[in-house]
Amino acid sequence: SCEMKFLNSTEKLVEPLESRKFSRFSLQYAEVEERPEGQQQWEPRFAGHQSLIQREESFFARDQKVNCGFVKGTGFDLAEDDSKYLSSCHIAVISCIFGNSDRLRTPMGKTVRFLCSHSPSLACFSLPMHKVSRLSRKNVCFVMFVDDITLQTLSSEGQMPDRMGFIGLWKIVVVKNLPYTDMRRVGKIPKFLPHRLFPSARYSIWLDSKLRLQLDPLLILEYFLWRKGYEYAISNHYDRHCLWEEVAQNKKLNKYNHTIIDEQFKFYQDDGLKRFDASDPNKLLPSNVPEGSFIVRAHTPMSNLFSCLWFNEVDRFTPRDQLSFAYTYQKLKRTNPQKPFYLNMFKDCERRTIAKLFHHRSEERRNIALGETG
């Protein structure tokens, strides 16, 4: 088990001033693409047509314009009222369901018990999640992005948005004109680009739709970011720590086209990626493979740049984002030795304590079929 010492309430919780240690620079985003001369069949892409030279330049943490999705006329269209709502959010809990892949999980559940601390401010407590704090209800937006087919299924199951567009705590935002046919790629847009979708947000918490939040979001921000001055937090993988192992597992389970996985892996090795060595005292991360279903961010320049870079790798190669995480992080660090990126890679058991895992709909159907034939 993990010892996790949370504050016992949000009552006296105060958001800290943004740390001066965080790198300061200004990012702009490439949102328009011009048709190259003589290329009649050319069409703009959601992530843009980034050249390898542009890709290399984008890793510098400096004032610049970078590719970061949302090229005009390429999709992920939102209703005007929804865009206004997202622009009003300063802290966001975000998830998505595309292609009817999951059920809607309300941020609540059974009482969660945590180990005790001897510190009075970090007392032992149990948190029934139907009592999301008043402070969070007032200050946190819970936003679920869906497509039409998912909304239709939810409605047929009796989960219909009210007149304000809410199902429980979730504000349901319907996305039109999906920019990819692969729903896994579409899901990477709210996962990696919350700073683009929530332009006024200072913080966001990403939660895969197969998870249900078990802890108040403000306590999550305090624990994973504010307490020790981090700007990005993600857990290590529960089993694998070396990318060589992750590549082998992805191919073994046929998670994606083997040739494209091999091309991506060779590209990263040619650019300096090495095997993970747990005994190396100078290793940049405690693991080179993340469990990316739960991510906590401060929307700082370095955090936003990393999110753009990671998204661009997913767009260029495979949607298996575990394959590009360590490379992107290490290249960003290597390119900017004087500009630290304060990333907290925490234990996966911590993630499992505060986010309950459920099956995808496809897994539910498979389990039912196995039960019928067993």
Side-chain angles (χ1 to χ4, degrees):
S1 65
C2 280
E3 184 175 1
M4 301 178 71
K5 301 171 184 176
F6 294 98
L7 295 179
N8 55 11
S9 81
T10 62
E11 289 180 10
K12 297 181 180 180
L13 191 59
V14 178
E15 177 188 335
L17 295 174
E18 186 170 307
S19 175
R20 291 183 179 181
K21 71 181 183 181
F22 295 156
S23 299
R24 306 304 306 172
F25 52 92
S26 178
L27 288 178
Q28 294 181 306
Y29 305 108
E31 296 182 338
V32 177
E33 284 199 310
E34 301 294 338
R35 183 190 302 274
E37 241 181 272
Q39 295 191 25
Q40 297 303 315
Q41 303 302 315
W42 181 92
E43 291 185 357
R45 296 181 66 252
F46 181 81
H49 292 79
Q50 187 188 49
S51 70
L52 287 176
I53 293 174
Q54 291 172 326
R55 175 186 178 277
E56 196 70 22
E57 291 291 314
S58 68
F59 277 84
F60 286 93
R62 62 190 179 192
D63 295 355
Q64 62 165 321
K65 179 178 284 189
V66 296
N67 286 68
C68 197
F70 297 97
V71 169
K72 289 183 179 177
T74 61
F76 211 85
D77 301 332
L78 308 180
E80 185 177 348
D81 285 349
D82 287 336
S83 293
K84 287 181 180 177
Y85 178 81
L86 300 187
S87 295
S88 72
C89 299
H90 296 292
I91 300 173
V93 173
I94 309 161
S95 191
C96 71
I97 307 173
F98 294 117
N100 195 28
S101 59
D102 286 288
R103 300 184 185 277
L104 187 67
R105 315 289 179 194
T106 302
M108 60 178 289
K110 296 179 180 179
T111 296
V112 184
R113 299 189 182 278
F114 299 100
L115 298 179
C116 298
S117 160
H118 296 298
S119 169
S121 64
L122 298 171
C124 178
F125 75 106
S126 300
L127 182 70
M129 269 315 298
H130 61 275
K131 291 186 178 177
V132 173
S133 70
R134 290 180 184 174
L135 197 61
S136 283
R137 288 177 181 271
K138 179 181 178 182
N139 293 287
V140 178
C141 298
F142 293 81
V143 177
M144 178 68 69
F145 293 93
V146 302
D147 56 356
D148 283 320
I149 189 172
T150 300
L151 182 63
Q152 291 168 11
T153 300
L154 292 175
S155 298
S156 70
E157 294 173 343
Q159 290 185 297
M160 299 183 65
D162 62 21
R163 61 185 183 84
M164 299 298 291
F166 285 84
I167 299 177
L169 285 176
W170 289 114
K171 168 68 172 174
I172 304 300
V173 173
V174 181
V175 181
K176 304 287 187 178
N177 190 19
L178 303 182
Y180 301 104
T181 55
D182 183 347
M183 294 300 105
R184 291 170 297 182
R185 286 194 193 275
V186 177
K188 305 305 178 186
I189 297 170
K191 177 174 182 175
F192 289 133
L193 306 180
H195 59 293
R196 303 298 318 278
L197 288 163
F198 298 82
S200 302
R202 300 186 299 275
Y203 302 97
S204 64
I205 299 171
W206 165 259
L207 194 73
D208 272 12
S209 54
K210 64 183 178 182
L211 300 179
R212 183 174 67 192
L213 205 60
Q214 302 281 91
L215 185 67
D216 189 279
L218 293 176
L219 295 179
I220 289 173
L221 292 176
E222 191 281 330
Y223 180 79
F224 288 107
L225 299 184
W226 299 346
R227 190 177 300 181
K228 293 186 178 179
Y230 289 112
E231 53 191 321
Y232 197 102
I234 188 170
S235 73
N236 60 254
H237 195 272
Y238 58 88
D239 183 38
R240 295 179 292 280
H241 300 292
C242 181
L243 192 58
W244 271 249
E245 299 170 1
E246 184 64 22
V247 166
Q249 186 71 1
N250 271 260
K251 292 167 71 174
K252 178 182 177 181
L253 299 178
N254 289 318
K255 291 290 188 178
Y256 205 73
N257 180 284
H258 291 201
T259 301
I260 298 176
I261 290 177
D262 288 339
E263 288 174 356
Q264 179 177 12
F265 193 34
K266 183 179 186 306
F267 189 100
Y268 290 171
Q269 289 178 80
D270 290 346
D271 199 23
L273 184 70
K274 300 289 189 292
R275 284 181 181 270
F276 178 75
D277 181 0
S279 65
D280 181 3
N282 298 315
K283 61 182 180 291
L284 294 179
L285 292 164
S287 170
N288 275 1
V289 183
E291 214 316 319
S293 59
F294 177 76
I295 303 174
V296 188
R297 296 178 178 90
H299 289 197
T300 61
M302 192 64 92
S303 172
N304 293 346
L305 177 58
F306 176 70
S307 295
C308 292
L309 296 173
W310 195 5
F311 175 78
N312 289 340
E313 293 304 294
V314 166
D315 175 80
R316 180 178 291 274
F317 293 109
T318 77
R320 305 301 300 172
D321 52 53
Q322 297 96 329
L323 301 181
S324 47
F325 167 79
Y327 167 84
T328 305
Y329 175 78
Q330 291 174 15
K331 186 174 178 67
L332 179 62
K333 294 276 285 187
R334 189 171 69 240
T335 307
N336 304 279
Q338 304 304 317
K339 294 183 178 179
F341 177 29
Y342 296 94
L343 184 145
N344 173 16
M345 192 171 217
F346 54 91
K347 297 175 182 177
D348 184 63
C349 58
E350 295 178 275
R351 177 191 64 85
R352 285 184 275 117
T353 296
I354 59 177
K356 181 176 174 58
L357 176 66
F358 291 84
H359 289 298
H360 293 302
R361 284 185 188 268
S362 59
E363 293 168 336
E364 290 177 356
R365 290 191 291 269
R366 195 179 306 125
N367 290 340
I368 291 171
L370 288 172
E372 290 174 349
T373 59

